Amino acid sequence: MTRMARNIEIKARLTDPDATRERARDLADADEETIIQRDVFFHCDSGRLKLRHLGPAHGHLIFYRRADTAGPKTSTYRISETDGPADLEAALAAAYGVRAVVSKTRTLLMMGRTRIHLDRVEGLGDFLELEVVLEEGEDPAAGVEEAHALMHRLGIEEDALIDCAYVDLLTKPD
């Protein structure tokens, strides 16, 4: 069996998404891409399992594990592509049950090996997510250092960091 991929991830709430977008554009290696995503989360005791709808005939089934802590953290994940997301969703919903649905518009920019996500999440607002993709066997400390440096360059303060996934924010009891 192949090993799960890893990245170092941070997520932060944005108070000025337009200013962050401009700073991210200045740092990016290429033009931005806008992606409409609908993530269906299923009940899963060993991590998080979601089906990301990217269109009627394209989706990704994503299983991942990461600590619920603020600041840079290691995320391990596996992605499987599907050309039948609706059928797969029906099967997974029947098997595991749907936990919640997260709908968002994501602006993706790349800076080296780091994915910069500017997310507008329905019901939650605006967020930044950084994913520093690690090489197999690479020490996560290098990715943590990169994430901290990029946070600084983007003007993201420590107190803006959140410690959980969007699905957790949406399902958190008031």
Side-chain angles (χ1 to χ4, degrees):
M1 182 193 295
T2 59
R3 299 177 80 180
M4 291 178 59
R6 297 175 306 141
N7 64 35
I8 299 298
E9 181 178 314
I10 68 109
K11 199 177 302 261
R13 189 175 293 276
L14 295 177
T15 55
D16 190 347
D18 293 331
T20 304
R21 179 183 314 278
E22 286 310 309
R23 286 190 291 271
R25 283 178 177 154
D26 289 344
L27 296 171
D29 300 329
D31 290 338
E32 64 190 52
E33 178 182 356
T34 300
I35 309 163
I36 306 299
Q37 297 178 343
R38 181 174 165 271
D39 293 344
V40 181
F41 283 80
F42 303 95
H43 295 284
C44 178
D45 293 335
S46 59
R48 291 185 177 99
L49 181 65
K50 67 184 173 185
L51 177 62
R52 174 165 289 159
H53 289 262
L54 297 166
H58 188 221
H60 295 157
L61 181 63
I62 304 167
F63 172 74
Y64 67 101
R65 292 185 186 115
R66 75 163 180 261
D68 286 332
T69 57
K73 59 203 149 274
T74 302
S75 176
T76 58
Y77 60 94
R78 181 176 306 268
I79 300 173
S80 250
E81 292 197 42
T82 179
D83 57 4
D87 289 339
L88 184 55
E89 179 183 339
L92 290 166
Y96 298 108
V98 173
R99 178 176 173 210
V101 176
V102 176
S103 296
K104 65 182 173 281
T105 301
R106 168 166 283 173
T107 301
L108 168 66
L109 299 114
M110 294 295 301
M111 183 184 154
R113 65 178 177 165
T114 301
R115 295 186 290 254
I116 302 170
H117 300 152
L118 301 165
D119 292 336
R120 176 155 290 155
V121 184
E122 283 184 23
L124 293 177
D126 294 296
F127 296 84
L128 167 86
E129 185 178 82
L130 300 177
E131 294 178 347
V132 182
V133 180
L134 299 175
E135 297 292 328
E136 187 172 332
E138 182 179 4
D139 184 346
V144 169
E145 187 176 317
E146 273 185 58
H148 275 298
L150 191 50
M151 282 172 51
H152 177 73
R153 292 178 75 185
L154 290 168
I156 304 301
E157 301 293 333
E158 295 282 334
D159 64 356
L161 298 176
I162 61 171
D163 63 359
C164 60
Y166 301 140
V167 67
D168 301 320
L169 292 174
L170 282 171
T171 60
K172 191 180 288 187
D174 292 330

PDB file of all heavy atoms in Angstrom, residues 151-164:
ATOM      1  N   MET A 151       2.761  33.119   6.382  1.00  0.00           N
ATOM      2  CA  MET A 151       1.761  33.812   7.206  1.00  0.00           C
ATOM      3  C   MET A 151       2.196  35.253   7.436  1.00  0.00           C
ATOM      4  O   MET A 151       1.399  36.183   7.296  1.00  0.00           O
ATOM      5  CB  MET A 151       1.602  33.114   8.569  1.00  0.00           C
ATOM      6  CG  MET A 151       0.785  31.861   8.566  1.00  0.00           C
ATOM      7  SD  MET A 151       0.859  31.007  10.169  1.00  0.00           S
ATOM      8  CE  MET A 151       0.466  32.296  11.326  1.00  0.00           C
ATOM      9  N   HIS A 152       3.457  35.430   7.785  1.00  0.00           N
ATOM     10  CA  HIS A 152       3.993  36.764   8.052  1.00  0.00           C
ATOM     11  C   HIS A 152       3.896  37.640   6.795  1.00  0.00           C
ATOM     12  O   HIS A 152       3.448  38.791   6.857  1.00  0.00           O
ATOM     13  CB  HIS A 152       5.447  36.661   8.535  1.00  0.00           C
ATOM     14  CG  HIS A 152       6.092  37.984   8.762  1.00  0.00           C
ATOM     15  ND1 HIS A 152       5.770  38.784   9.838  1.00  0.00           N
ATOM     16  CD2 HIS A 152       7.011  38.659   8.036  1.00  0.00           C
ATOM     17  CE1 HIS A 152       6.471  39.903   9.756  1.00  0.00           C
ATOM     18  NE2 HIS A 152       7.233  39.847   8.673  1.00  0.00           N
ATOM     19  N   ARG A 153       4.300  37.091   5.648  1.00  0.00           N
ATOM     20  CA  ARG A 153       4.273  37.857   4.395  1.00  0.00           C
ATOM     21  C   ARG A 153       2.853  38.221   3.970  1.00  0.00           C
ATOM     22  O   ARG A 153       2.633  39.231   3.312  1.00  0.00           O
ATOM     23  CB  ARG A 153       4.972  37.074   3.285  1.00  0.00           C
ATOM     24  CG  ARG A 153       6.478  36.954   3.533  1.00  0.00           C
ATOM     25  CD  ARG A 153       7.165  36.146   2.475  1.00  0.00           C
ATOM     26  NE  ARG A 153       7.292  36.925   1.242  1.00  0.00           N
ATOM     27  CZ  ARG A 153       7.771  36.419   0.120  1.00  0.00           C
ATOM     28  NH1 ARG A 153       8.167  35.154   0.061  1.00  0.00           N
ATOM     29  NH2 ARG A 153       7.859  37.174  -0.959  1.00  0.00           N
ATOM     30  N   LEU A 154       1.884  37.398   4.361  1.00  0.00           N
ATOM     31  CA  LEU A 154       0.480  37.662   4.025  1.00  0.00           C
ATOM     32  C   LEU A 154      -0.221  38.522   5.080  1.00  0.00           C
ATOM     33  O   LEU A 154      -1.391  38.879   4.912  1.00  0.00           O
ATOM     34  CB  LEU A 154      -0.276  36.342   3.840  1.00  0.00           C
ATOM     35  CG  LEU A 154       0.098  35.549   2.595  1.00  0.00           C
ATOM     36  CD1 LEU A 154      -0.479  34.146   2.667  1.00  0.00           C
ATOM     37  CD2 LEU A 154      -0.371  36.268   1.335  1.00  0.00           C
ATOM     38  N   GLY A 155       0.470  38.813   6.182  1.00  0.00           N
ATOM     39  CA  GLY A 155      -0.117  39.641   7.234  1.00  0.00           C
ATOM     40  C   GLY A 155      -1.097  38.896   8.123  1.00  0.00           C
ATOM     41  O   GLY A 155      -1.994  39.507   8.701  1.00  0.00           O
ATOM     42  N   ILE A 156      -0.933  37.577   8.244  1.00  0.00           N
ATOM     43  CA  ILE A 156      -1.833  36.764   9.075  1.00  0.00           C
ATOM     44  C   ILE A 156      -1.272  36.701  10.499  1.00  0.00           C
ATOM     45  O   ILE A 156      -0.155  36.238  10.712  1.00  0.00           O
ATOM     46  CB  ILE A 156      -1.980  35.333   8.507  1.00  0.00           C
ATOM     47  CG1 ILE A 156      -2.463  35.382   7.054  1.00  0.00           C
ATOM     48  CG2 ILE A 156      -2.896  34.498   9.391  1.00  0.00           C
ATOM     49  CD1 ILE A 156      -3.796  36.066   6.847  1.00  0.00           C
ATOM     50  N   GLU A 157      -2.048  37.164  11.460  1.00  0.00           N
ATOM     51  CA  GLU A 157      -1.646  37.158  12.871  1.00  0.00           C
ATOM     52  C   GLU A 157      -2.048  35.833  13.518  1.00  0.00           C
ATOM     53  O   GLU A 157      -3.021  35.192  13.100  1.00  0.00           O
ATOM     54  CB  GLU A 157      -2.303  38.319  13.620  1.00  0.00           C
ATOM     55  CG  GLU A 157      -1.961  39.697  13.067  1.00  0.00           C
ATOM     56  CD  GLU A 157      -0.495  40.067  13.249  1.00  0.00           C
ATOM     57  OE1 GLU A 157       0.136  39.562  14.200  1.00  0.00           O
ATOM     58  OE2 GLU A 157       0.009  40.858  12.426  1.00  0.00           O
ATOM     59  N   GLU A 158      -1.310  35.450  14.538  1.00  0.00           N
ATOM     60  CA  GLU A 158      -1.577  34.189  15.251  1.00  0.00           C
ATOM     61  C   GLU A 158      -3.012  34.115  15.772  1.00  0.00           C
ATOM     62  O   GLU A 158      -3.622  33.048  15.782  1.00  0.00           O
ATOM     63  CB  GLU A 158      -0.596  34.006  16.417  1.00  0.00           C
ATOM     64  CG  GLU A 158       0.852  33.840  15.999  1.00  0.00           C
ATOM     65  CD  GLU A 158       1.180  32.452  15.481  1.00  0.00           C
ATOM     66  OE1 GLU A 158       0.501  31.479  15.859  1.00  0.00           O
ATOM     67  OE2 GLU A 158       2.139  32.355  14.690  1.00  0.00           O
ATOM     68  N   ASP A 159      -3.558  35.249  16.226  1.00  0.00           N
ATOM     69  CA  ASP A 159      -4.901  35.221  16.809  1.00  0.00           C
ATOM     70  C   ASP A 159      -6.006  35.017  15.770  1.00  0.00           C
ATOM     71  O   ASP A 159      -7.162  34.805  16.120  1.00  0.00           O
ATOM     72  CB  ASP A 159      -5.166  36.457  17.668  1.00  0.00           C
ATOM     73  CG  ASP A 159      -5.151  37.760  16.880  1.00  0.00           C
ATOM     74  OD1 ASP A 159      -4.852  37.744  15.664  1.00  0.00           O
ATOM     75  OD2 ASP A 159      -5.437  38.810  17.490  1.00  0.00           O
ATOM     76  N   ALA A 160      -5.655  35.051  14.481  1.00  0.00           N
ATOM     77  CA  ALA A 160      -6.638  34.790  13.423  1.00  0.00           C
ATOM     78  C   ALA A 160      -6.737  33.305  13.094  1.00  0.00           C
ATOM     79  O   ALA A 160      -7.669  32.876  12.405  1.00  0.00           O
ATOM     80  CB  ALA A 160      -6.275  35.562  12.164  1.00  0.00           C
ATOM     81  N   LEU A 161      -5.777  32.502  13.582  1.00  0.00           N
ATOM     82  CA  LEU A 161      -5.750  31.072  13.258  1.00  0.00           C
ATOM     83  C   LEU A 161      -6.907  30.347  13.920  1.00  0.00           C
ATOM     84  O   LEU A 161      -7.297  30.669  15.043  1.00  0.00           O
ATOM     85  CB  LEU A 161      -4.420  30.459  13.708  1.00  0.00           C
ATOM     86  CG  LEU A 161      -3.171  31.028  13.035  1.00  0.00           C
ATOM     87  CD1 LEU A 161      -1.925  30.414  13.641  1.00  0.00           C
ATOM     88  CD2 LEU A 161      -3.209  30.808  11.537  1.00  0.00           C
ATOM     89  N   ILE A 162      -7.450  29.374  13.206  1.00  0.00           N
ATOM     90  CA  ILE A 162      -8.508  28.545  13.780  1.00  0.00           C
ATOM     91  C   ILE A 162      -7.991  27.124  13.937  1.00  0.00           C
ATOM     92  O   ILE A 162      -7.068  26.707  13.253  1.00  0.00           O
ATOM     93  CB  ILE A 162      -9.813  28.596  12.953  1.00  0.00           C
ATOM     94  CG1 ILE A 162      -9.603  28.072  11.539  1.00  0.00           C
ATOM     95  CG2 ILE A 162     -10.366  30.016  12.906  1.00  0.00           C
ATOM     96  CD1 ILE A 162     -10.886  27.897  10.763  1.00  0.00           C
ATOM     97  N   ASP A 163      -8.597  26.401  14.845  1.00  0.00           N
ATOM     98  CA  ASP A 163      -8.075  25.089  15.245  1.00  0.00           C
ATOM     99  C   ASP A 163      -8.884  23.911  14.736  1.00  0.00           C
ATOM    100  O   ASP A 163      -8.735  22.801  15.236  1.00  0.00           O
ATOM    101  CB  ASP A 163      -7.969  25.024  16.773  1.00  0.00           C
ATOM    102  CG  ASP A 163      -9.316  25.159  17.465  1.00  0.00           C
ATOM    103  OD1 ASP A 163     -10.345  25.320  16.772  1.00  0.00           O
ATOM    104  OD2 ASP A 163      -9.348  25.097  18.704  1.00  0.00           O
ATOM    105  N   CYS A 164      -9.754  24.138  13.753  1.00  0.00           N
ATOM    106  CA  CYS A 164     -10.599  23.035  13.290  1.00  0.00           C
ATOM    107  C   CYS A 164     -10.957  23.233  11.822  1.00  0.00           C
ATOM    108  O   CYS A 164     -10.599  24.238  11.211  1.00  0.00           O
ATOM    109  CB  CYS A 164     -11.852  22.931  14.155  1.00  0.00           C
ATOM    110  SG  CYS A 164     -12.882  24.413  14.148  1.00  0.00           S
TER     111      CYS A 164
END
